[in-house]
Amino acid sequence: MLESLWKLVQESGFAMMLSGDGWKNLIMIIIACVLLYLGIKKQYEPLLMVGIAVGCLLANVSALGGFSNALYHQELWDEFLKEGGEHAHSYGYIMANGGLIDILYMGVKAGIYPCLIFIGIGAMTDFGPLISNPKSLLLGAAAQFGVFFAFFGATLLGFNGNEAASIGIIGGADGPTAILTTTKLAPHLLGPIAVAAYSYMALIPMIQPPIMKALTTEKERKVKMEQLREVSKTEKILFPIVVTIFVVLLLPSTAPLIGCLMFGNLLKETGVTDRLSDVAQNALMNIVTLFLGMSVGATMVGSNFLELKTIYIVVLGLIAFSFSTIGGLLVGKLMYKLSGGKINPLIGSAGVSAVPMAARVSQREGQKANPSNFLLMHAMGPNVAGVIGSAIAAGFLMSMFGG
Amino acid sequence: MTETTAAIKGEMLDVGTSLLDAVLGYLVVFIGLALLMVVIIVVGKIMVSKMKKPAAAPVAAPVPAAAAPTPKKMLPAAPGAAGEVKIYDTDPRDAAIIMAIVADKLQKPLNELRFVSIKEVK
């Protein structure tokens, strides 16, 4: 009886925690609890943060219970990625030996979830402000500055090209794009990059305002912009078709993201696929968000996550976000000058894509300077342009470093 | 493009190559979106000119005024109203509250403001 009890104690996760690398899992469990706190109490991107935190918690708790009990098996994925190995790129091997999260993670690995989320984002996005003011696209492009600045910074810190590209894309302020790029280029960094991307997206109301105030004058912030022209239904239907054809022909590697984003938008705008649009916006989006959060969180196992690289990624992510904001604001200022003071440069910071958070920040800062200022719809143009811009940036990086 | 960069999977990049890749990437994004802007402007111009044509046609056509039914949007607005507002995905009650708040913030009477549309930003 005593022997049985002793065996039970030895096999428990508590005993494993104190042996070997168990302490790393313990730290990750604490980090998961912190992420849960941030998601639930502080409401930092809760829809994904809670899923990521639970995925992290389950992966590390179950890892302490031994290989057969684990929900996520890093070892299986190491074999999956081992070029020339017996189980290289074998999803069958994962299906036969994996746990729940391994099965869910196949959707991330195959790049399916980010694309499905983009269908949902497309179905929820109104490109009207962008169509009525196409110059917004320049602000969306300018706000990708942080992507390439952080890419350069990451190479200086010793990351290789694939890793630097994945870190840089955090500056696109687009979670699914960051996840897809990282999955393709540097899957071992997926956990820290996803957490950094979503954390900074949630922190936009804190990161952007000081930069906006530093780079703009009171006079510039007070500018009231002219009302946007009305966009016809035909234009809204043509937009996703034109963008898909043009952008994908220009940069074929953007096809998964741009194609899905515009497909979702077409469902919304046609007016004859309301049921599909509804599914894309709600049911599909929610299901995929659930799977994506859990499976990305599960990659945050102690042995992978607790490295100096993680700290670098967190710092570079912040730099990427800040410099994307700076890029957007500087081109916004240029447009203010060229338009004779008709464009409020604050809408430039909304080019960082995080929809609609960044546009709301522009609106709030504009209204602080001038209470009768309504910049929201003007800022939505660069904001949705940023989604296209970050997808193009990701497409460029994937075509350069994807092999 | 691939010849000018060391874009080999997982390879370390030297400072010059990395800087070149970064500048090239930023340019590609900028040029891509600038070209897209031109395409959207052209499509927009075509659409706007097409929308104007049917609007001008009834003016030129000699249609007897008595025989023509009055279109709904030509009806005079209610006293004190300032045009129609299009409401998308928004409860009319919420829209009314929003308009009242805007009028209050601007300290202007509601009938002096013109709301074009109200849409929930999701």
Side-chain angles (χ1 to χ4, degrees), chain A residues 126 134 141-142 145 148 151-152 155 158 160-162 227 230 234-235 239 242 246 268 372 396 400, chain B residues 1 5 7 9-12 18 21-22 25-26 32-33 35-37 39-41 47 86 106 116 119:
Chain A
D126 177 13
F145 180 52
F148 297 101
F151 162 79
F152 178 62
T155 56
N160 67 38
N162 287 37
Q227 197 163 20
E230 207 168 322
T234 316
E235 275 180 277
F239 179 80
V242 169
F246 180 79
K268 173 181 183 281
S372 65
F396 170 82
M400 292 292 282
Chain B
M1 193 184 289
T5 61
K9 198 172 184 181
E11 194 169 275
M12 298 303 292
S18 159
D21 282 347
Y26 198 39
L33 288 181
L35 289 173
L36 183 60
M37 179 185 79
V39 172
I40 294 171
I41 288 173
M47 295 309 299
K86 287 182 182 168
L106 292 175
V116 176
K119 184 178 183 198

mmCIF file of all heavy atoms in Angstrom, chain A residues 126 134 141-142 145 148 151-152 155 158 160-162 227 230 234-235 239 242 246 268 372 396 400, chain B residues 1 5 7 9-12 18 21-22 25-26 32-33 35-37 39-41 47 86 106 116 119:
data_model
loop_
_atom_site.group_PDB
_atom_site.id
_atom_site.type_symbol
_atom_site.label_atom_id
_atom_site.label_comp_id
_atom_site.label_asym_id
_atom_site.label_seq_id
_atom_site.Cartn_x
_atom_site.Cartn_y
_atom_site.Cartn_z
ATOM 1 N N ASP A 126 -15.513 47.600 -42.688
ATOM 2 C CA ASP A 126 -16.104 48.483 -43.693
ATOM 3 C C ASP A 126 -14.962 49.256 -44.357
ATOM 4 O O ASP A 126 -14.308 50.080 -43.704
ATOM 5 C CB ASP A 126 -17.083 49.444 -43.016
ATOM 6 C CG ASP A 126 -17.671 50.442 -44.004
ATOM 7 O OD1 ASP A 126 -17.507 50.235 -45.222
ATOM 8 O OD2 ASP A 126 -18.290 51.418 -43.558
ATOM 9 N N PRO A 134 -8.720 57.297 -50.825
ATOM 10 C CA PRO A 134 -7.661 56.302 -51.113
ATOM 11 C C PRO A 134 -6.269 56.726 -50.648
ATOM 12 O O PRO A 134 -5.390 55.881 -50.503
ATOM 13 C CB PRO A 134 -7.709 56.163 -52.638
ATOM 14 C CG PRO A 134 -9.011 56.721 -53.060
ATOM 15 C CD PRO A 134 -9.363 57.769 -52.060
ATOM 16 N N ALA A 141 0.731 52.371 -45.476
ATOM 17 C CA ALA A 141 2.070 51.911 -45.891
ATOM 18 C C ALA A 141 3.135 52.487 -44.964
ATOM 19 O O ALA A 141 4.030 51.774 -44.504
ATOM 20 C CB ALA A 141 2.335 52.339 -47.327
ATOM 21 N N ALA A 142 2.987 53.778 -44.669
ATOM 22 C CA ALA A 142 3.987 54.452 -43.825
ATOM 23 C C ALA A 142 4.087 53.797 -42.452
ATOM 24 O O ALA A 142 5.176 53.681 -41.878
ATOM 25 C CB ALA A 142 3.612 55.924 -43.672
ATOM 26 N N PHE A 145 6.598 51.049 -41.086
ATOM 27 C CA PHE A 145 8.002 51.389 -40.848
ATOM 28 C C PHE A 145 8.595 50.546 -39.716
ATOM 29 O O PHE A 145 9.718 50.035 -39.816
ATOM 30 C CB PHE A 145 8.090 52.888 -40.500
ATOM 31 C CG PHE A 145 9.489 53.373 -40.236
ATOM 32 C CD1 PHE A 145 10.511 53.140 -41.137
ATOM 33 C CD2 PHE A 145 9.785 54.065 -39.063
ATOM 34 C CE1 PHE A 145 11.793 53.590 -40.883
ATOM 35 C CE2 PHE A 145 11.065 54.514 -38.807
ATOM 36 C CZ PHE A 145 12.080 54.269 -39.716
ATOM 37 N N PHE A 148 9.995 46.983 -40.514
ATOM 38 C CA PHE A 148 11.323 46.848 -41.124
ATOM 39 C C PHE A 148 12.420 47.399 -40.212
ATOM 40 O O PHE A 148 13.555 46.933 -40.252
ATOM 41 C CB PHE A 148 11.308 47.503 -42.508
ATOM 42 C CG PHE A 148 10.346 46.803 -43.425
ATOM 43 C CD1 PHE A 148 9.095 47.338 -43.677
ATOM 44 C CD2 PHE A 148 10.652 45.565 -43.958
ATOM 45 C CE1 PHE A 148 8.182 46.665 -44.477
ATOM 46 C CE2 PHE A 148 9.751 44.878 -44.759
ATOM 47 C CZ PHE A 148 8.505 45.432 -45.018
ATOM 48 N N PHE A 151 12.927 44.592 -37.819
ATOM 49 C CA PHE A 151 13.614 43.517 -38.555
ATOM 50 C C PHE A 151 15.118 43.781 -38.559
ATOM 51 O O PHE A 151 15.925 42.909 -38.236
ATOM 52 C CB PHE A 151 13.064 43.461 -39.987
ATOM 53 C CG PHE A 151 13.947 42.722 -40.965
ATOM 54 C CD1 PHE A 151 13.952 41.338 -40.999
ATOM 55 C CD2 PHE A 151 14.779 43.410 -41.834
ATOM 56 C CE1 PHE A 151 14.775 40.655 -41.892
ATOM 57 C CE2 PHE A 151 15.596 42.741 -42.723
ATOM 58 C CZ PHE A 151 15.602 41.355 -42.753
ATOM 59 N N PHE A 152 15.455 45.041 -38.874
ATOM 60 C CA PHE A 152 16.870 45.424 -38.912
ATOM 61 C C PHE A 152 17.485 45.314 -37.511
ATOM 62 O O PHE A 152 18.574 44.757 -37.338
ATOM 63 C CB PHE A 152 16.983 46.862 -39.455
ATOM 64 C CG PHE A 152 18.387 47.383 -39.506
ATOM 65 C CD1 PHE A 152 19.341 46.769 -40.295
ATOM 66 C CD2 PHE A 152 18.760 48.495 -38.756
ATOM 67 C CE1 PHE A 152 20.654 47.245 -40.340
ATOM 68 C CE2 PHE A 152 20.060 48.969 -38.798
ATOM 69 C CZ PHE A 152 21.017 48.344 -39.587
ATOM 70 N N THR A 155 18.219 41.707 -36.507
ATOM 71 C CA THR A 155 19.424 41.111 -37.108
ATOM 72 C C THR A 155 20.675 41.612 -36.378
ATOM 73 O O THR A 155 21.643 40.872 -36.213
ATOM 74 C CB THR A 155 19.542 41.429 -38.615
ATOM 75 O OG1 THR A 155 19.515 42.836 -38.784
ATOM 76 C CG2 THR A 155 18.430 40.797 -39.413
ATOM 77 N N GLY A 158 21.433 39.592 -33.390
ATOM 78 C CA GLY A 158 21.903 38.218 -33.601
ATOM 79 C C GLY A 158 20.840 37.232 -34.048
ATOM 80 O O GLY A 158 21.108 36.031 -34.113
ATOM 81 N N ASN A 160 18.569 35.353 -36.813
ATOM 82 C CA ASN A 160 18.774 35.118 -38.248
ATOM 83 C C ASN A 160 17.637 35.756 -39.057
ATOM 84 O O ASN A 160 16.676 36.287 -38.481
ATOM 85 C CB ASN A 160 18.931 33.617 -38.545
ATOM 86 C CG ASN A 160 17.661 32.821 -38.287
ATOM 87 O OD1 ASN A 160 16.566 33.290 -38.553
ATOM 88 N ND2 ASN A 160 17.824 31.615 -37.757
ATOM 89 N N GLY A 161 17.741 35.704 -40.377
ATOM 90 C CA GLY A 161 16.781 36.389 -41.237
ATOM 91 C C GLY A 161 15.336 35.985 -40.970
ATOM 92 O O GLY A 161 14.447 36.835 -40.867
ATOM 93 N N ASN A 162 15.096 34.682 -40.836
ATOM 94 C CA ASN A 162 13.725 34.196 -40.613
ATOM 95 C C ASN A 162 13.169 34.705 -39.286
ATOM 96 O O ASN A 162 12.013 35.133 -39.195
ATOM 97 C CB ASN A 162 13.716 32.671 -40.599
ATOM 98 C CG ASN A 162 13.896 32.100 -41.976
ATOM 99 O OD1 ASN A 162 14.645 32.654 -42.781
ATOM 100 N ND2 ASN A 162 13.221 31.017 -42.265
ATOM 101 N N GLN A 227 -15.858 66.247 -44.610
ATOM 102 C CA GLN A 227 -16.640 65.018 -44.593
ATOM 103 C C GLN A 227 -16.281 64.134 -45.798
ATOM 104 O O GLN A 227 -16.041 64.632 -46.897
ATOM 105 C CB GLN A 227 -18.119 65.362 -44.647
ATOM 106 C CG GLN A 227 -18.991 64.205 -44.219
ATOM 107 C CD GLN A 227 -20.392 64.647 -43.868
ATOM 108 O OE1 GLN A 227 -20.839 65.710 -44.272
ATOM 109 N NE2 GLN A 227 -21.080 63.836 -43.109
ATOM 110 N N GLU A 230 -19.766 59.879 -50.049
ATOM 111 C CA GLU A 230 -20.520 58.642 -49.874
ATOM 112 C C GLU A 230 -20.029 57.613 -50.897
ATOM 113 O O GLU A 230 -19.767 57.950 -52.052
ATOM 114 C CB GLU A 230 -22.002 58.912 -50.080
ATOM 115 C CG GLU A 230 -22.883 57.947 -49.317
ATOM 116 C CD GLU A 230 -24.339 58.388 -49.295
ATOM 117 O OE1 GLU A 230 -24.597 59.598 -49.176
ATOM 118 O OE2 GLU A 230 -25.189 57.510 -49.408
ATOM 119 N N THR A 234 -21.906 49.469 -55.317
ATOM 120 C CA THR A 234 -21.124 48.835 -56.395
ATOM 121 C C THR A 234 -19.625 48.995 -56.117
ATOM 122 O O THR A 234 -18.853 48.057 -56.310
ATOM 123 C CB THR A 234 -21.467 49.484 -57.754
ATOM 124 O OG1 THR A 234 -22.879 49.629 -57.827
ATOM 125 C CG2 THR A 234 -20.956 48.679 -58.910
ATOM 126 N N GLU A 235 -19.231 50.179 -55.665
ATOM 127 C CA GLU A 235 -17.807 50.406 -55.355
ATOM 128 C C GLU A 235 -17.342 49.466 -54.250
ATOM 129 O O GLU A 235 -16.234 48.925 -54.300
ATOM 130 C CB GLU A 235 -17.603 51.845 -54.892
ATOM 131 C CG GLU A 235 -17.406 52.833 -56.016
ATOM 132 C CD GLU A 235 -17.209 54.225 -55.474
ATOM 133 O OE1 GLU A 235 -18.224 54.893 -55.183
ATOM 134 O OE2 GLU A 235 -16.054 54.640 -55.328
ATOM 135 N N PHE A 239 -14.445 46.711 -54.718
ATOM 136 C CA PHE A 239 -13.192 46.903 -53.974
ATOM 137 C C PHE A 239 -12.474 45.583 -53.642
ATOM 138 O O PHE A 239 -11.295 45.420 -54.005
ATOM 139 C CB PHE A 239 -13.456 47.727 -52.708
ATOM 140 C CG PHE A 239 -12.238 47.954 -51.872
ATOM 141 C CD1 PHE A 239 -11.316 48.938 -52.204
ATOM 142 C CD2 PHE A 239 -11.979 47.174 -50.756
ATOM 143 C CE1 PHE A 239 -10.177 49.136 -51.446
ATOM 144 C CE2 PHE A 239 -10.849 47.371 -49.990
ATOM 145 C CZ PHE A 239 -9.949 48.353 -50.336
ATOM 146 N N VAL A 242 -11.116 43.950 -56.849
ATOM 147 C CA VAL A 242 -9.981 44.680 -57.438
ATOM 148 C C VAL A 242 -8.724 44.489 -56.589
ATOM 149 O O VAL A 242 -7.642 44.208 -57.109
ATOM 150 C CB VAL A 242 -10.334 46.187 -57.567
ATOM 151 C CG1 VAL A 242 -9.097 47.004 -57.928
ATOM 152 C CG2 VAL A 242 -11.411 46.398 -58.609
ATOM 153 N N PHE A 246 -5.336 42.736 -57.903
ATOM 154 C CA PHE A 246 -4.160 43.600 -58.034
ATOM 155 C C PHE A 246 -3.036 43.190 -57.064
ATOM 156 O O PHE A 246 -1.899 42.976 -57.483
ATOM 157 C CB PHE A 246 -4.571 45.059 -57.790
ATOM 158 C CG PHE A 246 -3.434 46.011 -57.915
ATOM 159 C CD1 PHE A 246 -2.974 46.412 -59.172
ATOM 160 C CD2 PHE A 246 -2.783 46.496 -56.788
ATOM 161 C CE1 PHE A 246 -1.903 47.269 -59.285
ATOM 162 C CE2 PHE A 246 -1.712 47.361 -56.904
ATOM 163 C CZ PHE A 246 -1.273 47.744 -58.155
ATOM 164 N N LYS A 268 -19.682 40.255 -47.044
ATOM 165 C CA LYS A 268 -20.411 41.312 -46.331
ATOM 166 C C LYS A 268 -21.090 42.271 -47.314
ATOM 167 O O LYS A 268 -22.231 42.669 -47.101
ATOM 168 C CB LYS A 268 -19.420 42.088 -45.458
ATOM 169 C CG LYS A 268 -19.995 43.316 -44.792
ATOM 170 C CD LYS A 268 -18.909 44.012 -43.988
ATOM 171 C CE LYS A 268 -19.440 45.206 -43.242
ATOM 172 N NZ LYS A 268 -19.592 46.387 -44.088
ATOM 173 N N SER A 372 -14.717 69.580 -30.903
ATOM 174 C CA SER A 372 -15.671 69.395 -32.005
ATOM 175 C C SER A 372 -15.064 68.577 -33.146
ATOM 176 O O SER A 372 -15.596 68.538 -34.252
ATOM 177 C CB SER A 372 -16.137 70.749 -32.527
ATOM 178 O OG SER A 372 -15.055 71.441 -33.104
ATOM 179 N N PHE A 396 5.864 40.043 -48.366
ATOM 180 C CA PHE A 396 7.238 40.328 -48.804
ATOM 181 C C PHE A 396 8.237 39.493 -47.981
ATOM 182 O O PHE A 396 9.118 38.831 -48.539
ATOM 183 C CB PHE A 396 7.542 41.823 -48.644
ATOM 184 C CG PHE A 396 8.990 42.163 -48.835
ATOM 185 C CD1 PHE A 396 9.519 42.329 -50.104
ATOM 186 C CD2 PHE A 396 9.840 42.292 -47.736
ATOM 187 C CE1 PHE A 396 10.872 42.614 -50.274
ATOM 188 C CE2 PHE A 396 11.186 42.578 -47.895
ATOM 189 C CZ PHE A 396 11.707 42.749 -49.172
ATOM 190 N N MET A 400 10.711 36.526 -49.238
ATOM 191 C CA MET A 400 12.166 36.684 -49.143
ATOM 192 C C MET A 400 12.809 35.559 -48.329
ATOM 193 O O MET A 400 13.888 35.078 -48.653
ATOM 194 C CB MET A 400 12.509 38.010 -48.445
ATOM 195 C CG MET A 400 12.151 39.239 -49.256
ATOM 196 S SD MET A 400 13.174 39.404 -50.707
ATOM 197 C CE MET A 400 14.658 40.034 -50.011
ATOM 198 N N MET B 1 15.816 40.058 -57.241
ATOM 199 C CA MET B 1 15.684 40.426 -55.824
ATOM 200 C C MET B 1 16.451 39.451 -54.925
ATOM 201 O O MET B 1 17.179 39.815 -54.044
ATOM 202 C CB MET B 1 14.207 40.421 -55.447
ATOM 203 C CG MET B 1 13.915 41.075 -54.121
ATOM 204 S SD MET B 1 12.188 40.940 -53.694
ATOM 205 C CE MET B 1 11.450 42.050 -54.857
ATOM 206 N N THR B 5 20.112 39.737 -51.977
ATOM 207 C CA THR B 5 19.959 39.516 -50.535
ATOM 208 C C THR B 5 20.380 38.110 -50.166
ATOM 209 O O THR B 5 20.408 37.211 -51.005
ATOM 210 C CB THR B 5 18.500 39.710 -50.111
ATOM 211 O OG1 THR B 5 17.733 38.757 -50.821
ATOM 212 C CG2 THR B 5 18.004 41.099 -50.405
ATOM 213 N N ALA B 7 18.707 35.922 -48.615
ATOM 214 C CA ALA B 7 17.438 35.457 -48.073
ATOM 215 C C ALA B 7 17.344 33.936 -48.062
ATOM 216 O O ALA B 7 16.471 33.341 -48.657
ATOM 217 C CB ALA B 7 16.304 36.052 -48.885
ATOM 218 N N LYS B 9 16.860 30.503 -45.903
ATOM 219 C CA LYS B 9 16.158 30.157 -44.673
ATOM 220 C C LYS B 9 17.094 30.018 -43.476
ATOM 221 O O LYS B 9 18.026 29.221 -43.504
ATOM 222 C CB LYS B 9 15.388 28.856 -44.862
ATOM 223 C CG LYS B 9 14.311 28.636 -43.844
ATOM 224 C CD LYS B 9 13.477 27.438 -44.194
ATOM 225 C CE LYS B 9 12.335 27.311 -43.207
ATOM 226 N NZ LYS B 9 11.519 26.153 -43.493
ATOM 227 N N GLY B 10 16.834 30.784 -42.460
ATOM 228 C CA GLY B 10 17.570 30.658 -41.216
ATOM 229 C C GLY B 10 18.988 31.179 -41.257
ATOM 230 O O GLY B 10 19.739 30.981 -40.315
ATOM 231 N N GLU B 11 19.387 31.847 -42.326
ATOM 232 C CA GLU B 11 20.773 32.305 -42.415
ATOM 233 C C GLU B 11 20.959 33.649 -41.723
ATOM 234 O O GLU B 11 20.067 34.494 -41.733
ATOM 235 C CB GLU B 11 21.173 32.437 -43.884
ATOM 236 C CG GLU B 11 22.664 32.582 -44.069
ATOM 237 C CD GLU B 11 23.049 32.450 -45.542
ATOM 238 O OE1 GLU B 11 23.222 31.319 -45.997
ATOM 239 O OE2 GLU B 11 23.165 33.478 -46.202
ATOM 240 N N MET B 12 22.134 33.827 -41.127
ATOM 241 C CA MET B 12 22.434 35.110 -40.488
ATOM 242 C C MET B 12 22.665 36.160 -41.581
ATOM 243 O O MET B 12 23.233 35.856 -42.625
ATOM 244 C CB MET B 12 23.707 34.996 -39.635
ATOM 245 C CG MET B 12 23.613 33.995 -38.493
ATOM 246 S SD MET B 12 22.280 34.304 -37.349
ATOM 247 C CE MET B 12 22.839 35.800 -36.595
ATOM 248 N N SER B 18 20.982 43.229 -44.311
ATOM 249 C CA SER B 18 19.776 43.413 -43.496
ATOM 250 C C SER B 18 19.155 44.783 -43.756
ATOM 251 O O SER B 18 17.933 44.908 -43.918
ATOM 252 C CB SER B 18 20.171 43.241 -42.028
ATOM 253 O OG SER B 18 19.256 43.845 -41.207
ATOM 254 N N ASP B 21 17.569 44.768 -47.178
ATOM 255 C CA ASP B 21 16.286 44.050 -47.155
ATOM 256 C C ASP B 21 15.191 44.908 -46.531
ATOM 257 O O ASP B 21 14.049 44.923 -46.998
ATOM 258 C CB ASP B 21 16.426 42.745 -46.356
ATOM 259 C CG ASP B 21 17.122 41.658 -47.155
ATOM 260 O OD1 ASP B 21 17.258 41.829 -48.381
ATOM 261 O OD2 ASP B 21 17.530 40.649 -46.559
ATOM 262 N N ALA B 22 15.554 45.611 -45.439
ATOM 263 C CA ALA B 22 14.566 46.440 -44.737
ATOM 264 C C ALA B 22 14.075 47.576 -45.641
ATOM 265 O O ALA B 22 12.862 47.810 -45.754
ATOM 266 C CB ALA B 22 15.173 46.990 -43.448
ATOM 267 N N GLY B 25 11.995 46.151 -48.476
ATOM 268 C CA GLY B 25 10.666 45.743 -48.000
ATOM 269 C C GLY B 25 9.742 46.927 -47.828
ATOM 270 O O GLY B 25 8.583 46.897 -48.254
ATOM 271 N N TYR B 26 10.276 47.989 -47.223
ATOM 272 C CA TYR B 26 9.453 49.188 -46.983
ATOM 273 C C TYR B 26 9.032 49.807 -48.315
ATOM 274 O O TYR B 26 7.885 50.233 -48.486
ATOM 275 C CB TYR B 26 10.265 50.176 -46.147
ATOM 276 C CG TYR B 26 9.427 51.240 -45.462
ATOM 277 C CD1 TYR B 26 8.196 50.938 -44.906
ATOM 278 C CD2 TYR B 26 9.880 52.550 -45.361
ATOM 279 C CE1 TYR B 26 7.432 51.907 -44.266
ATOM 280 C CE2 TYR B 26 9.124 53.531 -44.725
ATOM 281 C CZ TYR B 26 7.906 53.204 -44.183
ATOM 282 O OH TYR B 26 7.141 54.156 -43.559
ATOM 283 N N GLY B 32 3.543 49.225 -53.562
ATOM 284 C CA GLY B 32 2.351 48.383 -53.743
ATOM 285 C C GLY B 32 1.080 49.135 -53.370
ATOM 286 O O GLY B 32 0.106 49.147 -54.128
ATOM 287 N N LEU B 33 1.104 49.789 -52.212
ATOM 288 C CA LEU B 33 -0.103 50.496 -51.762
ATOM 289 C C LEU B 33 -0.334 51.776 -52.571
ATOM 290 O O LEU B 33 -1.485 52.158 -52.784
ATOM 291 C CB LEU B 33 -0.021 50.794 -50.263
ATOM 292 C CG LEU B 33 -0.193 49.557 -49.365
ATOM 293 C CD1 LEU B 33 -0.121 49.920 -47.892
ATOM 294 C CD2 LEU B 33 -1.505 48.845 -49.627
ATOM 295 N N LEU B 35 0.341 52.088 -55.771
ATOM 296 C CA LEU B 35 -0.281 51.626 -57.023
ATOM 297 C C LEU B 35 -1.748 51.265 -56.784
ATOM 298 O O LEU B 35 -2.611 51.574 -57.603
ATOM 299 C CB LEU B 35 0.491 50.415 -57.571
ATOM 300 C CG LEU B 35 1.882 50.698 -58.136
ATOM 301 C CD1 LEU B 35 2.588 49.393 -58.489
ATOM 302 C CD2 LEU B 35 1.797 51.577 -59.369
ATOM 303 N N LEU B 36 -1.984 50.621 -55.641
ATOM 304 C CA LEU B 36 -3.372 50.269 -55.302
ATOM 305 C C LEU B 36 -4.219 51.535 -55.154
ATOM 306 O O LEU B 36 -5.383 51.569 -55.569
ATOM 307 C CB LEU B 36 -3.391 49.449 -53.999
ATOM 308 C CG LEU B 36 -4.753 48.936 -53.540
ATOM 309 C CD1 LEU B 36 -5.391 48.019 -54.569
ATOM 310 C CD2 LEU B 36 -4.632 48.198 -52.212
ATOM 311 N N MET B 37 -3.613 52.578 -54.588
ATOM 312 C CA MET B 37 -4.309 53.863 -54.432
ATOM 313 C C MET B 37 -4.728 54.400 -55.809
ATOM 314 O O MET B 37 -5.873 54.831 -55.986
ATOM 315 C CB MET B 37 -3.380 54.861 -53.732
ATOM 316 C CG MET B 37 -3.974 56.229 -53.542
ATOM 317 S SD MET B 37 -2.780 57.381 -52.849
ATOM 318 C CE MET B 37 -1.832 57.803 -54.290
ATOM 319 N N VAL B 39 -5.214 52.688 -58.529
ATOM 320 C CA VAL B 39 -6.279 51.835 -59.067
ATOM 321 C C VAL B 39 -7.627 52.216 -58.438
ATOM 322 O O VAL B 39 -8.636 52.369 -59.137
ATOM 323 C CB VAL B 39 -5.955 50.337 -58.788
ATOM 324 C CG1 VAL B 39 -7.131 49.447 -59.157
ATOM 325 C CG2 VAL B 39 -4.730 49.908 -59.560
ATOM 326 N N ILE B 40 -7.639 52.400 -57.121
ATOM 327 C CA ILE B 40 -8.901 52.730 -56.434
ATOM 328 C C ILE B 40 -9.408 54.107 -56.866
ATOM 329 O O ILE B 40 -10.612 54.303 -57.051
ATOM 330 C CB ILE B 40 -8.712 52.654 -54.901
ATOM 331 C CG1 ILE B 40 -8.444 51.204 -54.503
ATOM 332 C CG2 ILE B 40 -9.957 53.156 -54.183
ATOM 333 C CD1 ILE B 40 -8.029 51.032 -53.062
ATOM 334 N N ILE B 41 -8.485 55.052 -57.045
ATOM 335 C CA ILE B 41 -8.900 56.394 -57.487
ATOM 336 C C ILE B 41 -9.555 56.300 -58.881
ATOM 337 O O ILE B 41 -10.619 56.870 -59.117
ATOM 338 C CB ILE B 41 -7.686 57.367 -57.506
ATOM 339 C CG1 ILE B 41 -7.280 57.710 -56.079
ATOM 340 C CG2 ILE B 41 -8.020 58.644 -58.285
ATOM 341 C CD1 ILE B 41 -6.004 58.523 -55.946
ATOM 342 N N MET B 47 -16.802 55.255 -61.217
ATOM 343 C CA MET B 47 -18.079 55.032 -60.530
ATOM 344 C C MET B 47 -18.817 56.350 -60.291
ATOM 345 O O MET B 47 -20.035 56.425 -60.472
ATOM 346 C CB MET B 47 -17.842 54.324 -59.185
ATOM 347 C CG MET B 47 -17.287 52.927 -59.285
ATOM 348 S SD MET B 47 -18.182 51.840 -60.386
ATOM 349 C CE MET B 47 -19.770 51.816 -59.618
ATOM 350 N N LYS B 86 -28.809 57.591 -42.661
ATOM 351 C CA LYS B 86 -28.822 56.148 -42.929
ATOM 352 C C LYS B 86 -28.277 55.430 -41.708
ATOM 353 O O LYS B 86 -27.212 55.797 -41.199
ATOM 354 C CB LYS B 86 -27.966 55.846 -44.157
ATOM 355 C CG LYS B 86 -28.637 56.293 -45.436
ATOM 356 C CD LYS B 86 -27.789 55.950 -46.631
ATOM 357 C CE LYS B 86 -28.468 56.466 -47.892
ATOM 358 N NZ LYS B 86 -27.583 56.409 -49.043
ATOM 359 N N LEU B 106 -21.627 69.537 -29.190
ATOM 360 C CA LEU B 106 -21.311 70.667 -30.070
ATOM 361 C C LEU B 106 -22.045 71.932 -29.645
ATOM 362 O O LEU B 106 -21.773 73.011 -30.172
ATOM 363 C CB LEU B 106 -21.687 70.323 -31.517
ATOM 364 C CG LEU B 106 -20.854 69.231 -32.199
ATOM 365 C CD1 LEU B 106 -21.419 68.920 -33.570
ATOM 366 C CD2 LEU B 106 -19.409 69.693 -32.353
ATOM 367 N N VAL B 116 -25.188 62.030 -41.841
ATOM 368 C CA VAL B 116 -25.284 61.290 -43.101
ATOM 369 C C VAL B 116 -25.603 59.822 -42.820
ATOM 370 O O VAL B 116 -26.523 59.248 -43.380
ATOM 371 C CB VAL B 116 -23.960 61.416 -43.899
ATOM 372 C CG1 VAL B 116 -24.029 60.574 -45.169
ATOM 373 C CG2 VAL B 116 -23.705 62.868 -44.251
ATOM 374 N N LYS B 119 -23.191 54.111 -38.096
ATOM 375 C CA LYS B 119 -22.867 52.694 -38.226
ATOM 376 C C LYS B 119 -22.087 52.235 -37.015
ATOM 377 O O LYS B 119 -21.205 52.964 -36.546
ATOM 378 C CB LYS B 119 -22.033 52.481 -39.493
ATOM 379 C CG LYS B 119 -21.743 51.039 -39.736
ATOM 380 C CD LYS B 119 -20.981 50.830 -40.983
ATOM 381 C CE LYS B 119 -20.827 49.337 -41.155
ATOM 382 N NZ LYS B 119 -19.847 48.929 -42.028
#
